[in-house]
Amino acid sequence: MKKLSLQNRIAFNVIISTAFLIMVLCAVILITFKIHSDKLSAGTEITIEDVKYLFTILLRVCTVGCFFVFFFLFALSRRIARDSTKPIRDIINTANSITHNNLNARIPLPTRRDELYELSETINKLLDRIEYAVEREKSFTSYASHEFRTPLAVLKGTMEVLLRKPRSDEEYKEKIKACAREVDKMNEMVEQLLILTRYEEGKNSLNYNYYLIEDLINDSVCTFTDAILNKKLEVTTNIQPQGTRLYTDEYSFSTILNNLISNAVKYSNDTGKIDIRASQQEDYLIVEIENTGYGIPQEELNFIFNKFYRSYASEGTKIKGFGLGLPIVKRFCDLLNINITIDSEINKQTIAKLIIPLQ
């Protein structure tokens, strides 16, 4: 059944009420006329006085009836207006109660699905987006300040050491190189944060086209050639069938592969193995990246996609990171409608699995 708009509902209620009251008034007039007309016998002669008397009675009935009709219509109109504007009052009260510390308040939805229902629902969705944005900014500010604090402290400490007394050229070079490494780390973090910002821009920035999956994988592997050679890793790829074309955004999908392969290289033990597999199953392309190495505890797998989260298992190692790689992967997977799962066993292997719908 088509919903009745607020304007039509008010008009409909007023018309029905008015018609009902007019019918009641007419019925009262007819009953009054019938009562007094019965007093006149069939053979009685009707004089002008009788007509005036009957007219006077009807006029009084109409006057009193009209007064009650208008009074009832006024009361009914106020009731309809009060009920109709209650959602507006709720919107005003809720809006007044919202502060930067109280963004979880929402407007109660009216029972009728009219314009006010749509307005309340739209404002609630707007509040959801605002709350998400504010919480994201708070989280970003908190985590970013925490992560920047360490390299900045290292830079300050190194420079203070250099200023205490004269040093040899070799000592200056060593300290300057340490400062440069910390700056590189901060640059890496900024780059990753900019990638997350690109994700927040949404689908408007996506540029879809067809790409060979083996080309995308090989390009990502080549990016980490030096790190692979330094750790003497054995990397194998198995793509079935060859020539599989993927309709995707190259930048976003390459970002996913680069981060997953980077983690596989980073957390593999020396002389370890990385196996990259791609196979087509019905309407999906399955890409798996498996590496031997440190692994992730099962109890931490639910948190690895949170920004700035790093596994406790990696804290005792010399592997440095910011906890942004997997959050970037997760957000770009959501953007491309890719399902990602990660399974891991401590000190054995980790498998990242991408389930990609094919066009």
Side-chain angles (χ1 to χ4, degrees):
M1 182 178 179
K2 188 177 180 180
K3 64 181 181 181
L4 199 62
S5 67
L6 176 63
Q7 181 180 0
N8 292 336
R9 192 172 75 248
I10 293 176
F12 181 76
N13 288 335
V14 171
I15 290 173
I16 292 297
S17 302
T18 303
F20 174 75
L21 292 174
I22 291 175
M23 291 175 61
V24 171
L25 180 59
C26 290
V28 171
I29 293 174
L30 291 175
I31 293 172
T32 304
F33 181 80
K34 182 68 170 61
I35 292 173
H36 288 81
S37 63
D38 289 344
K39 294 180 179 180
L40 302 176
S41 60
T44 303
E45 182 180 354
I46 300 176
T47 64
I48 190 66
E49 297 297 329
D50 295 329
V51 175
K52 288 181 179 180
Y53 174 73
L54 183 59
F55 179 77
T56 301
I57 293 176
L58 294 177
L59 182 61
R60 292 174 180 174
V61 171
C62 289
T63 302
V64 175
C66 288
F67 172 78
F68 281 105
V69 166
F70 287 125
F71 177 79
F72 186 79
L73 284 177
F74 175 75
L76 181 63
S77 299
R78 283 182 58 84
R79 172 67 181 273
I80 295 174
R82 185 176 68 252
D83 292 343
S84 300
T85 57
K86 181 180 181 301
I88 299 178
R89 293 196 301 273
D90 292 337
I91 293 174
I92 294 173
N93 294 334
T94 303
N96 289 331
S97 68
I98 294 176
T99 64
H100 67 284
N101 292 322
N102 178 30
L103 288 173
N104 57 354
R106 293 297 180 268
I107 298 169
L109 296 178
T111 55
R112 297 180 182 274
R113 289 181 170 269
D114 51 19
E115 292 90 346
L116 291 178
Y117 182 94
E118 294 179 359
L119 175 62
S120 301
E121 190 175 39
T122 302
I123 293 178
N124 283 341
K125 291 180 180 178
L126 174 63
L127 292 174
D128 289 339
R129 294 193 295 270
I130 293 174
E131 182 181 14
Y132 172 75
V134 171
E135 291 300 325
R136 189 182 64 210
E137 291 299 324
K138 288 182 179 179
S139 175
F140 169 80
T141 303
S142 174
Y143 287 134
S145 61
H146 176 269
E147 293 298 328
F148 276 118
R149 188 180 296 117
T150 300
L152 289 175
V154 172
L155 288 174
K156 181 181 179 182
T158 302
M159 288 184 288
E160 287 177 347
V161 169
L162 290 176
L163 292 174
R164 287 175 184 171
K165 63 179 181 178
R167 306 279 177 174
S168 65
D169 291 344
E170 290 299 324
E171 288 179 309
Y172 278 118
K173 289 180 181 180
E174 181 182 352
K175 296 300 182 181
I176 291 173
K177 287 180 180 179
C179 291
R181 286 194 296 269
E182 294 300 324
V183 171
D184 289 338
K185 291 179 182 179
M186 287 192 289
N187 283 334
E188 181 184 355
M189 176 187 287
V190 170
E191 287 295 328
Q192 291 180 325
L193 292 174
L194 288 176
I195 292 175
L196 283 176
T197 302
R198 176 182 170 88
Y199 159 79
E200 301 298 345
E201 293 176 359
K203 297 183 179 180
N204 294 331
S205 60
L206 296 181
N207 183 20
Y208 278 90
N209 208 335
Y210 286 97
Y211 301 94
L212 290 174
I213 185 62
E214 52 260 41
D215 290 345
L216 295 172
I217 292 176
N218 290 334
D219 289 344
S220 293
V221 172
C222 290
T223 304
F224 304 98
T225 300
D226 292 340
I228 292 172
L229 294 176
N230 290 336
K231 299 186 72 171
K232 299 179 181 180
L233 301 176
E234 179 184 346
V235 180
T236 59
T237 60
N238 182 14
I239 300 172
Q240 297 295 334
Q242 293 287 332
T244 301
R245 297 173 66 85
L246 181 63
Y247 187 71
T248 188
D249 176 68
E250 182 182 19
Y251 174 84
S252 301
F253 191 76
S254 295
T255 300
I256 295 172
L257 288 179
N258 288 342
N259 278 280
L260 292 178
I261 295 176
S262 172
N263 281 352
V265 173
K266 186 186 300 183
Y267 293 100
S268 290
N269 46 10
D270 292 344
T271 69
K273 295 181 179 181
I274 298 176
D275 185 20
I276 303 174
R277 304 181 292 271
S279 61
Q280 185 173 346
Q281 299 179 12
E282 298 180 350
D283 295 330
Y284 295 92
L285 178 67
I286 310 298
V287 176
E288 293 179 313
I289 301 174
E290 179 179 353
N291 69 279
T292 59
Y294 298 100
I296 305 171
Q298 289 292 321
E299 61 271 16
E300 296 185 23
L301 290 177
N302 292 331
F303 308 102
I304 57 177
F305 294 118
N306 296 340
K307 283 188 291 187
F308 298 100
Y309 182 84
R310 297 198 69 219
S311 172
Y312 291 110
S314 64
E315 290 186 354
T317 68
K318 296 181 180 180
I319 301 173
K320 302 300 180 182
F322 303 105
L324 289 172
L326 288 179
I328 290 173
V329 169
K330 177 60 177 175
R331 281 154 178 76
F332 276 102
C333 283
D334 292 340
L335 198 63
L336 298 178
N337 196 28
I338 296 174
N339 184 30
I340 180 172
T341 60
I342 293 182
D343 189 23
S344 182
E345 292 185 43
I346 289 293
N347 296 323
K348 289 186 178 181
Q349 81 279 336
T350 300
I351 302 176
K353 182 177 182 181
L354 301 174
I355 303 177
I356 310 164
L358 295 174
Q359 289 287 353

